[in-house]
């Protein structure tokens, strides 16, 4: 049975009294009997002693009783069913509330036994199988046969155990900042990662203090955790190490840190590394590059050993990517789950009624998908493995900037004067203007922050450029890594507003060749390079296929045909061009650009064939890396461009928020 959509759980009988009061303190971290996890609550809810505050806007707690022990959970959201198991053990589960996922998933937030509204276990046996059994009981209580399972840190341990103990109940597994073992070896890798954390922040006193507290409790034993107060002191001391940048994260809001301490809890050394290959469920492994307690070593080990695994590494996160990089985290999870659901529908047409996917026209590299979408990271193939591939932000941004600069430069007089086309290079970036731009696409400034910092003075020069040329509105595009700390204040002074987001993707050429090897076109369609005699017809496809005005766009496209470093391709039906795409080569980097298909020809493999043709051309031109960009995919929408690129091996590098400027502001 597939995941259930919009399921409403059955209410259980009123819960019995807890067998003992819950001890509350500030944070939490798992090493044998000690635990640390962040709890991020925007508003401190008042509740009775020993009770967790209900999530704002979420369902009231549901409860069931298993062997005399009360198990609590909450359900909210819409979409495929997903069990959510927080870290710990003992941390209050509120920190793992993820509203960004609730727009696309029915989230079942479990209060693990020994935390939140759930009871302590009288016998102190908090084994992974015991936790997995309680999660299965929640599924039973809801009345669902299967679900996805998202487990964070210690919750990931439980997720792996759930996959081993209850494989027939798992639609897919999300292993988030976790490891396939618990005990001495995990502690040793965390100690090494703590040392790296201190080296990364040599001028921050809190980094040195975190290391001192860690060593005192876990290495030398000179500081003991014996009660709630000493535990709280330990947890506060090591908190900064759980983030890529503790100060930046703390500046975004207050942190409510609570947990449950059970002195009766037995040590729980656990290791399933030799059993990972037995978990056949589709799996997404998410890890923060700077996670010190479950560093990327363990994520890669799980990825290597699990046949259905995908890997997503969050470069700007530590142990809490859903807080540190919420957009990328949510994108990874939603793409994974909904990709699996699409495949499930295709493979089970008689069991699940499906509607057609919305056909959206995307202004950068768009077409309707010819196959089900897949996640932002890629599984192994029979011929080899497609790995996630990372390219520097500078390469991604400057390649796009130079491409756009050349593309607009192709328009000649008198059109340049008639349309108010102008451009300049400034501070390592480019500023592009078209005064009379009916599509509002060609006025953009990008590529900044690498040759010199992004400053108010630099951005004022950009705005002045547009004001002097009578441009009514423009877009500033900045990679996340170059946005300065005072950016909100700069936006207020400049009159900038948040605009739409762009996804930047990349892949190595060999992986792209492997992924696109089996591309097939419908009968009657052919793909190949554009001949000079076809230039006008080829360029005329771009405006209607992308849904933009022909003014400027068509002439820019035509100027790229035959230009050095530019490779243009077309899909033809008989003698008519129905789809087009461009590749620009700059050294070892190839950039995909302007892929689009006429509406009547979508769904027939055109864009996949154009991607494959460009990959082969990039290989022949000596490229090592391919990059692309496309619009983001908010929950409830479908960007076919993105999924076509993912099927070709591209992986998400980051999402870039664009910033809108309007003359009237």
């Amino acid at each position: 049975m597939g995941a259930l959509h919009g399921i409403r759980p059955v209410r259980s009988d009123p819960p019995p009294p807890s067998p003992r009061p819950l001890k509350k303190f500030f944070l939490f971290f798992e090493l044998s009997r000690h635990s640390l996890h962040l709890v991020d609550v925007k508003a401190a809810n008042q509740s009775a002693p020993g009770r967790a505050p209900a999530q704002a806007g979420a369902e009231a707690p549901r409860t069931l009783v298993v062997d005399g022990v009360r198990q609590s959970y909450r359900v909210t959201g819409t979409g495929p069913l997903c069990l959510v198991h927080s870290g710990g053990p003992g941390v209050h589960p509120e920190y793992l509330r993820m509203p960004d996922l609730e727009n696309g998933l029915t989230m079942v937030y479990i209060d693990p036994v020994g935390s939140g509204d759930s009871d302590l276990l009288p016998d102190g046996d908090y084994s992974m199988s015991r936790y997995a059994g309680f999660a299965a009981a929640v599924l039973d209580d809801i009345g669902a046969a299967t679900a996805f399972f998202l487990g964070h840190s210690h919750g990931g341990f439980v997720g792996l155990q759930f996959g081993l103990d209850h494989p027939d109940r798992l639609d897919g597994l999300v292993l988030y900042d976790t490891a396939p073992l618990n005990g001495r070896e995990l502690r040793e890798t965390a100690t090494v990662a703590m040392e790296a954390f201190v080296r990364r922040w040599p001028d921050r006193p809190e980094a040195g203090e975190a290391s001192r507290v860690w060593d005192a409790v876990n290495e030398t034993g000179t500081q003991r955790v014996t009660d709630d107060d000493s535990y709280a002191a330990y947890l506060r001391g090591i908190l900064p190490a759980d983030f890529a940048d503790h100060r930046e994260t703390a500046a975004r809001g207050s942190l409510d840190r609570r947990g449950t301490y059970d002195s009766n809890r037995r040590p729980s050394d656990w290791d399933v590394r030799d059993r990972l290959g037995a978990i056949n469920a589709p799996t997404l492994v998410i890890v923060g590059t700077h996670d010190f307690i479950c560093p990327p070593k363990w994520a890669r080990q799980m990825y290597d050993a699990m046949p259905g695994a995908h890997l997503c590494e969050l470069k700007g996160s530590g142990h809490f990517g859903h807080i540190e990089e919420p957009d990328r985290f949510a994108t990874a999870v939603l793409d994974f789950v909904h990709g699996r659901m699409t495949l499930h529908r295709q493979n089970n047409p008689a069991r699940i009624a499906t509607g057609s996917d919305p056909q959206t026209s995307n202004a950068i590299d768009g077409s309707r998908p010819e196959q089900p979408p897949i996640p932002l990271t890629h599984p192994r193939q029979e011929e080899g493995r497609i790995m996630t591939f990372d390219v520097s932000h500078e390469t991604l941004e400057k390649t796009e900037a130079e491409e756009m600069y050349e593309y607009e430069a192709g328009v000649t007089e008198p059109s340049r004067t008639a349309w108010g086309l102008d451009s300049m290079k400034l501070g390592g970036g480019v500023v592009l203007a078209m005064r009379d731009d009916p599509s509002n696409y060609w006025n953009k400034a990008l590529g900044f922050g690498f040759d010199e910092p992004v400053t108010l003075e630099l951005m004022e020069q950009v705005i002045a450029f547009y004001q002097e040329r009578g441009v009514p509105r423009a877009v500033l595009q900045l990679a996340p890594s170059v946005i300065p700390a005072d950016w909100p204040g700069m936006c207020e002074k400049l009159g900038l507003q948040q605009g739409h987001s762009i996804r930047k993707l990349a892949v190595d050429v060999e992986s792209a060749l492997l992924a696109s090897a089996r591309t097939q076109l419908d009968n009657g369609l052919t793909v190949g390079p554009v001949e000079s005699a076809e230039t006008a017809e080829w360029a005329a496809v771009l405006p209607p296929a992308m849904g933009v005005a022909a003014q400027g766009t068509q002439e820019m496209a035509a100027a790229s045909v035959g230009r050095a470093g530019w490779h243009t391709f077309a899909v033809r039906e008989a003698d008519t061009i129905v789809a087009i795409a461009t590749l620009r080569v700059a050294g070892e980097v190839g950039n995909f650009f302007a892929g689009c298909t006429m509406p009547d020809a979508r769904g027939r493999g055109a864009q996949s064939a154009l991607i494959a043709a460009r990959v082969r051309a990039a290989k022949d031109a000596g490229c090592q890396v391919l990059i692309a960009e496309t619009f983001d995919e908010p929950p409830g929408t479908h960007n076919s461009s993105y999924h076509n690129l993912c099927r070709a091996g591209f992986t998400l590098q980051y999402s870039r928020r664009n910033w809108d400027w309007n003359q009237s502001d």
Side-chain angles (χ1 to χ4, degrees), residues 145-147 161-172 278-281:
T146 63
Q161 194 67 52
F162 189 92
L164 292 168
D165 294 351
H166 308 281
D168 57 332
R169 311 205 65 177
L170 200 55
D171 291 322
I279 301 176
N280 293 315

Side-chain angles (χ1 to χ4, degrees), residues 382-450:
E382 293 177 5
E383 299 87 353
R385 177 187 306 171
I386 301 175
M387 298 287 289
T388 53
F389 190 84
D390 296 293
V391 181
S392 72
H393 289 199
E394 181 175 8
T395 296
L396 288 161
E397 293 296 322
K398 285 197 168 185
T399 299
E400 180 186 358
E402 289 297 326
E403 177 187 71
M404 292 296 300
Y405 189 85
E406 286 187 20
Y407 203 67
E408 289 200 13
V411 178
T412 58
E413 294 292 352
S415 297
R416 294 189 66 83
T417 299
W419 300 335
L421 270 174
D422 201 357
S423 60
M424 71 171 178
K425 294 189 176 183
L426 174 68
V430 301
V431 189
L432 311 170
M434 180 190 285
R435 183 190 60 246
D436 301 320
D437 176 15
S439 64
N440 194 33
Y441 179 77
W442 302 109
N443 290 305
K444 57 182 61 179
L446 64 161
F448 298 99
F450 302 103

